[in-house]
Amino acid sequence: MSLINKEIGEFEVQAYVNGEFKPVSKQDVLGKWSIFFFYPADFTFVCPTELEDLANKYEAIKATGCEVYSVSTDTHFVHKAWHDTSDRIKKIQYPMLGDPTHVLSRDFGVLIEEAGLAERGSFIVNPEGKIVSYEVSAGNVGRNADELYRKLQACQFVYAHGDEVCPAKWQPGAETLKPSLDLVGQL
């Protein structure tokens, strides 16, 4: 079953962000763009490379009006310990959400029940709280923040210009398409 246009459920979890613990809820997400970036666990192998890549792209993502939330089933205390000990993770300025009760992992459909861990899932959520793009990858395959950023920009474009669509590899400023009978069979 597709998660496209699924409204995210109610939640309130603890985050580690900018040296502090703070609650984050669905109310914090509504009204702006969000990326939920699920990963299996802190203190692992592929995860820090992905989170660092996302940290390096964070300012560009924020400039689009989007907040990033990394999520694992670890607690916010573990996120702080990892942030304090890893040079890669020290770069992170976005909220690191703890999901030890699995409320988010279940809602987004990425919980590996038998392991109590999350799959690698990237979700773009629009200001209405609806999932408009997502990708779930095997645990041994890392993701690319540049491609996630491109998808975010495309989602934002079509949200603002509902009569246009973005072709493959679209970048801001590039030509879009206006679906019509005249285009059928012409591409």
Side-chain angles (χ1 to χ4, degrees):
M1 174 185 343
S2 175
L3 297 177
I4 296 296
N5 287 321
K6 174 192 181 294
E7 185 173 344
I8 63 172
E10 294 290 332
F11 72 91
E12 183 170 319
V13 296
Q14 288 294 313
Y16 177 70
V17 59
N18 296 323
E20 297 180 351
F21 296 134
K22 72 176 228 175
V24 174
S25 70
K26 180 178 178 178
Q27 306 323 309
D28 297 309
V29 172
L30 296 176
K32 64 181 177 192
W33 288 87
S34 302
I35 292 174
F36 285 82
F37 195 81
F38 290 86
Y39 63 97
D42 293 359
F43 295 100
T44 56
F45 314 105
V46 175
C47 300
T49 66
E50 293 185 309
L51 295 175
E52 178 185 34
D53 187 39
L54 196 55
N56 291 339
K57 201 72 181 173
Y58 183 55
E59 288 305 317
I61 292 170
K62 275 195 70 130
T64 71
C66 180
E67 182 59 90
V68 172
Y69 300 98
S70 66
V71 187
S72 77
T73 57
D74 298 293
T75 67
H76 54 295
F77 299 112
V78 178
H79 292 334
K80 180 194 181 313
W82 197 25
H83 194 274
D84 289 349
T85 59
S86 169
D87 288 338
R88 290 177 187 261
I89 303 306
K90 281 179 186 164
K91 296 177 182 180
I92 294 175
Q93 296 178 356
Y94 49 80
M96 300 178 76
L97 305 184
D99 189 28
T101 63
H102 307 153
V103 65
L104 289 169
S105 301
R106 276 197 183 94
D107 188 44
F108 283 81
V110 294
L111 181 64
I112 307 166
E113 290 282 348
E114 62 277 6
L117 302 174
E119 298 279 11
R120 288 189 200 292
S122 306
F123 296 82
I124 299 172
V125 176
N126 72 17
E128 298 166 16
K130 295 181 179 177
I131 297 169
V132 294
S133 177
Y134 70 99
E135 177 180 34
V136 180
S137 304
N140 54 0
V141 177
R143 294 162 281 180
N144 182 322
D146 289 331
E147 175 58 8
L148 182 57
Y149 176 58
R150 187 199 70 80
K151 284 182 184 178
L152 168 65
Q153 292 174 301
C155 289
Q156 290 175 325
F157 182 88
V158 297
Y159 186 78
H161 305 89
D163 63 334
E164 298 178 53
V165 296
C166 297
K169 297 186 179 183
W170 177 87
Q171 296 287 332
E175 189 176 333
T176 58
L177 302 170
K178 287 192 178 191
S180 70
L181 187 59
D182 296 339
L183 280 183
V184 175
Q186 300 301 311
L187 299 174

